[in-house]
Structure formats: structure tokens, C-alpha cells
Amino acid sequence: MAVTTGEAGLPAALGGTAAFPEGLPLTRVEVPDREELTRRFDAVLDSGQLTNGTTVRELEEAAAEFLDVPHVVAVANCTSGLMLALQAFGVAGTRVVMPSFTFSATAHAAHWAGGTPVFAEIERDTLTLDPADAEAALAPGVGALMATHVYGTPCRVEELQKIADEAGVPLLYDAAHGLGSRRAGRPIGGFGSAEVFSLSPTKVVVAAEGGLVATHDEALAEAVRLGRGYGNPGDYDCVFPGLNARMSELHAALALVSLRSLPERIAHRTALVGAFASRVQGLPGLRLPALAPEDTSTWKDLTLILDAEAFGCGAVALADALKAEGIDSRRYFHPAVHRQKAYADLPEKRELPVTDEMAELVLTVPLWSHMDEATILKVADAAIRIQAHADQLPK
């Protein structure tokens, strides 16, 4: 790795030329085959049925085949899928153990289902739920265990399943980032009691908005299917208080077209991350989340983990320096959920020093499915220039 010096090598924050004067956004949606999409939209509009119809059924069947699971239920979004699964588990009035290093929707879903979030630690290398600390949190009164495949990195599913089985509680995965990830060759989607995916615009498969609940449990699938339509079995005599969490036919059409090319997109994202990692190899104080050699990640996010002392500056200063380069970034996930105002008054507070530490160290930089290698290498080179002059940056 060569670090340039002199005026040409200065980061933009110190007077150098910005890498992306036109700006480089964190995400940019890849629109699938527009010709096929238009045909599908026309068919939906001609059918006169715009919600929860044959296109939704087709998406559910295609996703079930891709994930190698018997049941997939399409919902309006990942959060509603998590809510309905937790409601079906009967978590109301119970504690729900989950990581704090996750998107807030993980905890929100438990709250809305009547459960109380109890936060557990993550691992420093993968940033996914630490099975040992999750087990320590599974005291009496726990109604479910939740885990998140952070950035698409598969959790240690075997250990988590063993812990959940021994505790006699369902295991639910927030797999918002994980559609296309694999654990030792097996698709994420078939683990635990259920896994719930997101199809929002920042994901690798998009439906504009939408979610998928994947499970081997037929009764759970039927409960979610009923719950997404208010709990109404068809005669307006609702069996339980459900939601309006139906997916529209137009969203399903977009998701179907997007799903078809998912393996190619994941292969491309993996190659881009590999190119970035090779470029910054040896850069002091910077690493990526660890991924087991036998696993596949969607790399939904390209998140850097910074050792501020070794790198020369922390995540905030790096974000500011990247902004000067025209490079967008986000601190996924800071603050961790247990530090957010919404959960300041939880009755049970556990010390989470690893989560607190890692939340301070992470910074997510741009990665898209149709980004080219030259662009990702320019992002890497910007980080290299910034590190070389980190001691001169505003503190």
C-alpha cells in the first residue's frame, strides 16, 4: 500500500482536491430490468387487484424456493413482520433478550408486541450477538430471544439455537440485512423459529418498502398471514388484534424482479469489499467486521471499525474528513439502542461495555450493488490520505 505525500496527497479537509466533488451518497438504489418491471406493473394495474394478490403469492413462493424454507409471508415492512412474529410467540408481558447494537426497529417491535427489551452484548470481531451474554440474560420471565445478522454477517446460529432450546424460548432473527447471506452454505432464512427480512430501498433486494417472514413453522406462518390483515379471517370477526401489514402487488412486482439477480449482486458486492480491504490492508487502526471463511454476507453495509489511537482520529473526525471529500457516511449503529432516549427508562439495565465501545468505533461508507471498482478504490484512497494526515485534522 502506497500513501501519497505532498500537496497532491492532502485530504480535502486540509486543502487537497476532493475525491468526489459531485458527491458520493451512502446508498444508491439499483433499479432492476425496467422492461420486465413495466410489464409486471401493467399486469397488476390491469388486474384491478392492488394489494395481497397473485403477485404477492408469486413473490412468497419464489422467496421460499430461494431460501429453502416451506413458508414465506410477505408483509408491508420488516418491522411489522417482527411485530407479528413476536405477537404470535406471545411475548406480551415478558422480557425479550436482544442485542443493543442493532437498528432501533428490533427493540421497537418487541415493545409494540407487549414485550420489554433486555439488551445483551455483541462480539468485538463480528458485531453480532454474543451467545454467552445472551445466555446470561435469559433469566425467568423471558418470552423470546432475538438476534440480528448485522450488515449481513451471519450470527453464530448454532450456539444461539442451543441456548434458546435449553431455555425453552423461540429464537427470532432480525434478518433485515441478510437476504442472500449464508451460514456455512445454508441460506439465512431457515434458522430459528423465524427470520424476517427487509426489502426497503437500502437493502440488496428492494420492493421500495416491504418485508418477508420466513419460517419452517406452518402455524406461525398462518398467524403472521392472518395478523397482516388485521387478524380478520375474512368474516370481519377478528381473531386477535392484527395490523394492516399487507404488501401491495406493485411492491411485490418490484421485489420479484429484484430477487432474480440477487446472487450476481452479492458476488459483485463481495468483490467490491474485497478490493477495498486489499487497498487498505495494513492501514493502522482500521478493520472490517469479521466473516467466517465458510459464510457469505450480503455486505448490506461497508462498515469500518476504527481504533482511534492507531488510526490517528476517531469516527466523528473521519466522517467529517470524508464529507470534505464528498463521501457520505453514517454511524451504524450509534448510539446503540440502550443509549437511545426511547429506552432510557427500561426497568432492567445491564452493563454493555463492548457494545458501548464498538458503537463509538464504527463508520459506514458508501457501497452499492452497481458501484464500480474504481469508485470503491477512490473511497479507500481517501481513507488512506486522511489517515496519513490524521494528526493535522481538527479534533
Side-chain angles (χ1 to χ4, degrees):
M1 179 187 66
V3 178
T4 56
T5 58
E7 189 67 26
L10 282 175
L14 296 176
T17 301
F20 297 94
E22 72 286 1
L24 186 71
L26 188 72
T27 61
R28 185 172 285 168
V29 176
E30 181 181 24
V31 178
D33 185 335
R34 293 196 182 198
E35 186 175 336
E36 180 184 356
L37 192 58
T38 300
R39 288 197 302 270
R40 284 190 171 274
F41 282 175
D42 285 344
V44 168
L45 295 173
D46 290 343
S47 75
Q49 184 170 10
L50 298 184
T51 297
N52 204 23
T54 57
T55 311
V56 170
R57 298 291 88 71
E58 186 180 352
L59 172 62
E60 291 173 337
E61 291 167 4
E65 181 178 0
F66 182 86
L67 298 170
D68 194 23
V69 296
H71 309 289
V72 169
V73 183
V75 288
N77 49 64
C78 180
T79 308
S80 63
L82 293 170
M83 290 164 62
L84 290 168
L86 288 165
Q87 181 187 53
F89 294 153
V91 302
T94 74
R95 301 157 65 248
V96 181
V97 174
M98 65 184 68
S100 175
F101 191 83
T102 183
F103 186 57
S104 56
T106 313
H108 292 354
H111 172 82
W112 278 102
T116 300
V118 174
F119 297 112
E121 279 286 26
I122 56 170
E123 300 174 323
R124 279 190 174 85
D125 56 350
T126 67
L127 306 183
T128 62
L129 183 64
D130 180 348
D133 196 60
E135 184 175 23
L138 283 173
V142 168
L145 173 62
M146 297 181 73
T148 302
H149 303 297
V150 178
Y151 316 135
T153 302
C155 295
R156 289 164 62 179
V157 296
E158 303 83 5
E159 293 176 56
L160 292 173
Q161 189 63 62
K162 183 173 183 288
I163 291 165
D165 288 344
E166 290 176 351
V169 298
L171 171 58
L172 178 62
Y173 285 101
D174 182 338
H177 302 174
L179 184 51
S181 294
R182 290 177 175 264
R183 174 66 169 175
R186 181 178 166 189
I188 293 300
F191 297 101
S193 302
E195 304 207 53
V196 187
F197 300 99
S198 173
L199 307 177
S200 71
T202 63
K203 307 306 186 293
V204 185
V205 175
V206 298
E209 291 291 349
L212 300 171
V213 180
T215 183
H216 289 273
D217 186 333
E218 182 176 4
L220 176 61
E222 286 307 308
V224 173
R225 203 178 301 279
L226 186 61
R228 73 180 174 186
Y230 302 100
N232 175 15
D235 59 3
Y236 293 95
D237 185 5
C238 293
V239 180
F240 58 85
L243 305 171
N244 179 2
R246 297 169 299 185
M247 178 183 283
S248 84
E249 290 284 281
L250 295 171
H251 289 86
L254 177 54
L256 269 167
V257 178
S258 183
L259 179 63
R260 182 169 298 114
S261 54
L262 176 58
E264 292 79 11
R265 287 201 300 282
I266 290 177
H268 182 61
R269 295 173 80 93
T270 299
L272 290 175
V273 172
F276 181 93
S278 294
R279 187 75 122 202
V280 301
Q281 186 176 7
L283 194 66
L286 186 151
R287 67 179 177 90
L288 304 185
L291 180 69
E294 66 273 17
D295 290 353
T296 301
S297 174
T298 60
W299 294 107
K300 181 266 175 189
D301 291 312
L302 175 54
T303 296
L304 316 180
I305 304 173
L306 295 176
D307 177 335
E309 184 175 352
F311 190 82
C313 70
V316 174
L318 177 57
D320 289 342
L322 289 173
K323 184 177 181 180
E325 300 286 348
I327 300 171
D328 195 11
S329 65
R330 295 287 190 282
R331 299 183 70 189
Y332 290 152
F333 295 102
H334 180 277
V337 183
H338 75 288
R339 296 294 184 187
Q340 295 179 16
K341 297 179 183 70
Y343 297 98
D345 296 325
L346 285 178
E348 182 174 346
K349 299 184 186 299
R350 303 180 74 245
E351 294 297 317
L352 303 175
V354 176
T355 298
D356 286 333
E357 175 190 358
M358 302 314 297
E360 293 295 329
L361 305 184
V362 291
L363 186 69
T364 299
V365 297
L367 176 67
W368 333 315
S369 295
H370 56 302
M371 181 182 283
D372 58 25
E373 184 176 292
T375 299
I376 201 72
L377 292 179
K378 283 180 70 176
V379 175
D381 289 342
I384 292 169
R385 288 196 305 277
I386 292 166
Q387 192 280 329
H389 299 274
D391 59 343
Q392 303 168 46
L393 295 173
K395 301 301 181 185

